Amino acid sequence: MLKLTSMVLLALTLISSMARAGEPRTPTPGEVFEGRIMPIFKSDQPASCVQCHLAGVDLKNYILPSHEQTFASLRDQGLIDLADPKKSKILTLIAMGDKDADKKASLIHAKTRKAEYAAFESWIAACCSDPKLRDLPLLDKSKLAKPERPDVVIRHARRSRVVDSFERNVWSQRMRCFPCHTPHEIDTKNPQHKQALAKHKSFVERDDNAYSHRMILFRETPEATVQYLIERSRKAEAAGELPLLNLKDPAKSLLVLKPTSKLPQNVVGGNGLPSYVEPVSHLGGLKMHVDDQSYKAFMAWIQDYANVVGGKYRSVKDLPADNWQPSRHAVILRDTPQAWPDRARVQFFVHAWNAKDAKWQAAPVAFTQSVLNPRRNAAGLLFLFGEPRAIGDKATKTENANLKPGKYLIKVYFDRTGRLKDDPTVFLGQSEFAGQVEIQAKWGEGFPKAEAITGKQMK
């Protein structure tokens, strides 16, 4: 009986051991890291970060060679929630692409994003259940895994910030291109748009495919327009044409060359057709002048975009201000000094009166730029400054982009050395100061109600 009992116990032990041997073993944090995180680190494919960021950050930036160091690094930066691993900030950052308004981009990167999220979620859960990892000593700050650029610079390279800047600098002035490049702005119920509708119809009848793919620059939304400009620029370079956005030489972008070019018949060597190589010609003729406020805004955006995708911004001091938006207020300077040459470049800065301190505010509230016309006048629509961007996000929008009537100081600057020719995006400084005029401004809309000053008034 005793012998039988011993045999039964032995059999039960063997069965139990076999059952345990057949059970799936829970992978260790190190095994999950090697199997799911390191492939991301070693991959030459871009992470899903590129969906929201044009430059400056990659998921690989947060991974170190060992799972212990990587976990400690993320933990010490507040990117892992030890109490609730599923609420870890690194997971939230990866999942941000799900909320992207650009559904096409979201769909393209969905597979990569889901794989990254699942890998980090699994690894973080394994790490947080390991007391030894949770209690690892703090890493030296110099050893933390993170992008080289500051957070402000990374946020500046966000696609949403670039689109926001485009909306204020370029999209806001799209009606200069109406109706040829802005068919979505045509109102079929508006009698005043009858001629525009006829012109649009003629384009479609001539070659609907060429018109829709080449001439409709401004799409239904700023986001769609930016995407079109990017995609069309790639195709143009492949076809040997100048791109709409020339990242190597922004001044050679068709987006500024076309509206500042003459009609085909007025261009040397012109054949009556629009040209997409130098010398560029434009069937719409002149729509803006080189160095006016629109040209400056277009160039500022193209240059900023080129710097973003080119990784030119390394520190906060490298970033442009880009905290302005357009208004309908205008300033005009008449009877300019005779010493100024023809086509002189002029900038205006508007300063508000601080009644409480009884002095002019040091920082301007608005600016514009112009060149002397044949009558030797300079005029431009104002861009209003918002609050300085403290976190590198979207520019603060000024309320209705309007200035309140009242007492203002207009400072006038004259480009004596050709700085704006070399870089249309710069602001002139004290060495270019020409004079200032105090005014009681009503700030109406458009050039007919522009605030006018004269050269003789300048002090």
Side-chain angles (χ1 to χ4, degrees), residues 273-431:
L273 297 174
S275 170
Y276 303 93
V277 296
E278 295 186 283
V280 173
S281 60
H282 184 216
L283 277 179
L286 287 171
K287 293 296 182 180
M288 70 168 72
H289 295 281
V290 173
D291 293 321
D292 69 10
Q293 83 280 353
S294 293
Y295 182 82
K296 186 181 188 70
F298 276 49
M299 280 296 297
W301 182 77
I302 299 172
Q303 182 67 67
D304 180 43
Y305 173 70
N307 288 341
V308 165
V309 298
K312 299 292 182 64
Y313 298 132
R314 310 291 300 185
S315 65
V316 177
K317 66 180 179 61
D318 296 334
L319 299 179
D322 192 27
N323 61 330
W324 59 76
Q325 65 173 11
S327 77
R328 292 292 300 159
H329 304 321
V331 170
I332 182 169
L333 171 65
R334 298 191 177 100
D335 301 323
T336 52
Q338 289 301 313
W340 291 7
D342 294 340
R343 303 292 299 169
R345 301 175 182 86
V346 184
Q347 285 184 354
F348 302 88
F349 290 88
V350 179
H351 295 254
W353 176 252
N354 187 326
K356 181 180 179 181
D357 298 330
K359 64 179 183 181
W360 297 109
Q361 291 182 8
V365 294
F367 80 95
T368 191
Q369 181 173 303
S370 181
V371 292
L372 293 190
N373 61 25
R375 295 183 179 181
R376 296 187 62 78
N377 297 331
L381 291 170
L382 292 176
F383 282 89
L384 275 55
F385 288 109
E387 293 297 323
R389 291 176 297 107
I391 58 173
D393 238 332
K394 289 185 177 182
T396 303
K397 286 184 169 58
T398 50
E399 185 178 357
N400 299 321
N402 289 325
L403 291 175
K404 296 180 180 179
K407 185 177 179 180
Y408 289 86
L409 179 70
I410 298 180
K411 291 187 175 183
V412 183
Y413 295 78
F414 154 53
D415 186 8
R416 293 181 171 84
T417 59
R419 289 181 63 199
L420 287 166
K421 182 178 180 181
D422 296 331
D423 184 358
T425 68
V426 301
F427 288 122
L428 301 178
Q430 191 58 37
S431 62

Side-chain angles (χ1 to χ4, degrees), residues 6-28:
S6 300
M7 292 177 65
V8 171
L9 290 173
L10 179 59
L12 290 174
T13 301
L14 289 172
I15 292 172
S16 177
S17 299
M18 292 173 67
R20 286 197 300 271
E23 290 178 358
R25 186 176 62 82
T26 302
T28 66

Side-chain angles (χ1 to χ4, degrees), residues 24 49 58 60 70 75 121 137 140 161 164 191 228-229 264 267 270 280 335-336 359 388 390 419 425 452 455:
C49 303
D58 192 295
K60 301 178 182 69
T70 302
R75 178 202 62 188
E121 182 183 38
D140 186 282
R161 202 284 315 169
D164 169 71
Y228 166 77
L229 294 175
V267 174
V280 173
D335 301 323
T336 52
K359 64 179 183 181
R419 289 181 63 199
T425 68

Side-chain angles (χ1 to χ4, degrees), residues 242-246 249-257 278 299:
L242 286 169
L244 287 164
L245 305 177
N246 194 324
D249 188 352
K252 298 296 184 181
S253 301
L254 283 184
L255 194 62
V256 291
L257 287 177
E278 295 186 283
M299 280 296 297

